[in-house]
Amino acid sequence: MSALFNVILPVFLVVGFGYITCWRGMLSEVAVDGIMRFAQNFAVPVLLFNAIANLDLGANFDPFLLASFYAGAFISFGAGLAAAIYWLKRPLEDAIAIGFVCLFSNSLLLGVPITERAYGPDALVWNFSIIAIHSPLLYTFGITVMEFARARGRNLSVGRVALRALSGVLHTPLVIGILSGLVMNLLIQAGLVMPEGFWSAVTMLSSAALPTALFALGGILYRYRPEGEMRAIALCCAASLALHPAIAFGLGSLSGLSTDQMRSLVVTASMAPGVNAYLFASIYGVAKRVAASTVLIGTLLSILTVWFWLNVLP
């Protein structure tokens, strides 16, 4: 019970504060969009830059950890895609967006603060090991699959479709933050020493990232209240909150991962779909209601599912 009140509840109280603020009309939609834009386009990329720049890439890269997490993610995508096509009878582009909702867990805005509160700041090295390739890999996969689906019947070469997908990924602020952090990491390994004032500024901006993003997430969730599509929403919640962490837990256990690795792996896998899942659907104008409603309902349900996993993990 202490995990619920001491670890999970504080994170969701910040989200709830943002939700109530918008519900009571104390902030406009434009203001919430501005806060989220600051968080996602500036503060969170700087947080990722800071984490990746100072990450020991050799010591904190474990292929079994990454395989356990991303196998669960891609199996969840496949399950969501297949169920959307054959059970829900949705068009292919809708089904891809629904599969992406099942695929893209909120590894950063919820996974990092919950892991930190549960196991301490030192536990985050494995979270950031997963996050380092999370957005680049999953956005590249999702955009590529969608672009090929949309290119059916048009005379577009494979190279042109791949180039459009790569361009979309490289313009994503989170990916820019990760790649910049990787470049800085390599420069530091080569002997570059940045002034202390530089890292102080990076730390200041990084410290604003999570609370600001969580607060804005609450405001965004208020806007996208659930409407219909309950079978599709239930499918996405089941895949992201149950199937993904169960597969990650099973594969991680078989791989002999350490206790610290298992904690970061399963907690990250058990996160609800993030706002980025809705943004992906919004970019292509498909399954937006399903994505938005799943983000809201999945985030609420994750209070219980994360509590379950925190009690299962050692």
Side-chain angles (χ1 to χ4, degrees):
M1 187 64 72
S2 62
L4 178 63
F5 289 102
N6 297 330
V7 176
I8 301 171
L9 188 60
V11 174
F12 284 94
L13 281 176
V14 178
V15 177
F17 184 39
Y19 188 98
I20 292 171
T21 299
C22 292
W23 170 46
R24 302 307 300 169
M26 289 182 275
L27 277 179
S28 65
E29 289 188 3
V30 174
V32 173
D33 285 339
I35 296 171
M36 181 57 86
R37 191 172 296 113
F38 162 75
Q40 287 201 313
N41 292 357
F42 302 100
V44 171
V46 170
L47 172 67
L48 291 172
F49 167 83
N50 191 26
I52 304 302
N54 294 287
L55 190 67
D56 188 338
L57 297 177
N60 298 126
F61 178 83
D62 189 318
F64 294 107
L65 171 74
L66 299 178
S68 299
F69 180 87
Y70 288 104
F74 286 116
I75 290 172
S76 296
F77 172 86
L81 176 69
I85 293 174
Y86 297 110
W87 178 45
L88 301 177
K89 309 299 182 184
R90 301 292 288 256
L92 179 60
E93 291 180 24
D94 272 30
I96 292 171
I98 290 171
F100 192 83
V101 175
C102 300
L103 171 78
F104 205 100
S105 55
N106 199 340
S107 59
L108 184 61
L109 300 190
L110 293 180
V112 167
I114 288 176
T115 303
E116 183 176 17
R117 292 197 61 82
Y119 306 116
D122 292 341
L124 294 179
V125 292
W126 298 112
N127 287 63
F128 285 117
S129 178
I130 294 170
I131 292 170
I133 64 171
H134 190 257
S135 290
L137 176 62
L138 300 189
Y139 267 124
T140 300
F141 173 77
I143 292 174
T144 301
V145 172
M146 184 66 83
E147 289 295 339
F148 273 107
R150 301 187 84 182
R152 292 177 305 156
R154 294 185 290 172
N155 294 322
L156 293 178
S157 66
V158 172
R160 186 174 179 183
V161 173
L163 185 62
R164 289 174 60 177
L166 181 62
S167 175
V169 171
L170 293 179
H171 282 83
T172 305
L174 298 181
V175 175
I176 293 172
I178 291 169
L179 295 179
S180 300
L182 179 60
V183 171
M184 178 60 73
N185 189 296
L186 296 175
L187 290 175
I188 291 172
Q189 297 300 321
L192 177 68
V193 178
M194 296 297 292
E196 184 62 31
F198 171 82
W199 292 113
S200 296
V202 168
T203 301
M204 289 173 63
L205 193 52
S206 298
S207 64
L210 292 180
T212 304
L214 289 172
F215 177 85
L217 176 61
I220 296 293
L221 291 179
Y222 171 72
R223 184 184 310 170
Y224 301 124
R225 295 180 290 279
E227 296 176 318
E229 304 275 17
M230 292 312 297
R231 290 196 303 166
I233 295 167
L235 166 67
C236 294
C237 288
S240 59
L241 298 179
L243 181 61
H244 187 184
I247 293 172
F249 181 81
L251 293 178
S253 300
L254 292 174
S255 301
L257 297 181
S258 69
T259 298
D260 287 342
Q261 290 174 317
M262 286 294 293
R263 289 168 172 172
S264 294
L265 166 67
V266 178
V267 169
T268 305
S270 66
M271 292 299 108
V275 173
N276 284 319
Y278 168 75
L279 295 178
F280 179 85
S282 183
I283 289 171
Y284 291 102
V286 292
K288 292 192 292 183
R289 181 182 297 177
V290 173
S293 299
T294 302
V295 172
L296 174 59
I297 295 174
T299 300
L300 293 174
L301 291 176
S302 67
I303 296 174
L304 299 177
T305 57
V306 172
W307 182 30
F308 167 79
W309 285 110
L310 287 177
N311 283 282
V312 170
L313 293 167

